[in-house]
């Protein structure tokens, strides 16, 4: 039975993943995908490497930091178009907003961390996408939601 489960998890391709790296409370990288093209395992491996080396907001993780890095993995459900974005649940739903070539994602835990209501969460996702904060309400903006299973490594 364990082998059957392991094989099924290895072959999942419908789940996205975001990997967040921390050194104590300092963010050291966060990268992910909502639309994977490979197994969940391979997506997590790729996103972990990308979070450590390719997050444009910060310098790459150095080898001498690795012992102090802890990892959070968010396994994402498939995106679902939100026809009534204000009715989404803070803490349960993450957001993906797309308008033309601009897009952004915020994980469900972000709204909880900042004590945002859903309107503020939608606005913050728009701002992250370099859009006006009310762009979520535009007819040609696609607001999608997802849920996430968060797996947190204990701090070292």
């Amino acid at each position: 039975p364990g082998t059957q489960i392991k094989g099924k998890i290895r072959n999942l391709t419908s789940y996205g993943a975001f990997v967040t790296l921390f050194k104590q409370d300092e963010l050291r990288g966060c990268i992910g995908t909502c639309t994977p093209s490979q197994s969940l395992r391979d997506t997590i491996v790729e996103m972990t490497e990308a979070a450590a080396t390719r997050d444009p907001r910060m310098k790459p993780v150095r080898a001498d930091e690795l012992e102090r890095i802890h990892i959070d993995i968010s396994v994402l459900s498939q995106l679902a178009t939100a026809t009534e974005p204000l009715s989404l649940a803070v803490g349960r739903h993450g957001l993906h907003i797309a308008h033309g070539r601009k897009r952004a994602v915020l994980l469900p835990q972000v709204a909880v961390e900042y004590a945002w209501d859903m309107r503020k969460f939608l606005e913050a996702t728009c701002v992250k996408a370099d859009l006006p904060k009310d762009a979520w309400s535009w007819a040609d903006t696609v607001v999608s939601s997802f849920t996430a299973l968060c797996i947190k490594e204990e701090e070292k």
Side-chain angles (χ1 to χ4, degrees), residues 20-77:
T20 307
L21 304 176
F22 295 96
K23 184 171 77 177
Q24 283 93 31
D25 291 332
E26 176 190 1
L27 177 65
R28 290 298 287 119
C30 181
I31 292 187
T33 181
C34 295
T35 55
S37 59
Q38 54 193 351
S39 71
L40 178 57
R41 176 191 171 279
D42 290 343
T43 297
I44 290 171
V45 169
E46 180 183 346
M47 295 304 114
T48 302
E49 180 182 314
T53 62
R54 296 193 309 264
D55 187 328
R57 300 169 295 174
M58 51 208 63
K59 293 181 180 180
V61 173
R62 298 181 320 271
D64 65 340
E65 293 180 276
L66 290 176
E67 285 188 20
R68 294 174 288 160
I69 296 290
H70 71 273
I71 184 171
D72 290 357
I73 299 170
S74 297
V75 179
L76 311 185
S77 68

Side-chain angles (χ1 to χ4, degrees), residues 35-148:
T35 55
S37 59
Q38 54 193 351
S39 71
L40 178 57
R41 176 191 171 279
D42 290 343
T43 297
I44 290 171
V45 169
E46 180 183 346
M47 295 304 114
T48 302
E49 180 182 314
T53 62
R54 296 193 309 264
D55 187 328
R57 300 169 295 174
M58 51 208 63
K59 293 181 180 180
V61 173
R62 298 181 320 271
D64 65 340
E65 293 180 276
L66 290 176
E67 285 188 20
R68 294 174 288 160
I69 296 290
H70 71 273
I71 184 171
D72 290 357
I73 299 170
S74 297
V75 179
L76 311 185
S77 68
Q78 292 181 334
L79 295 176
T81 302
T83 55
E84 295 183 35
L86 289 173
S87 69
L88 296 171
V90 169
R92 174 167 170 69
H93 296 107
L95 295 174
H96 178 278
I97 291 183
H99 181 83
R101 301 184 107 187
K102 295 182 177 183
R103 59 194 66 244
V105 174
L106 285 177
L107 299 170
Q109 55 267 38
V110 173
V112 174
E113 182 179 328
Y114 290 101
W116 290 337
D117 62 15
M118 185 50 65
R119 181 176 299 276
K120 178 63 181 162
F121 194 25
L122 287 158
E123 291 173 351
T125 310
C126 288
V127 169
K128 184 178 180 189
D130 197 27
L131 293 164
K133 66 182 184 179
D134 67 340
W136 65 269
S137 64
W138 299 351
D140 55 347
T141 297
V142 178
V143 177
S144 301
S145 68
F146 58 88
T147 57

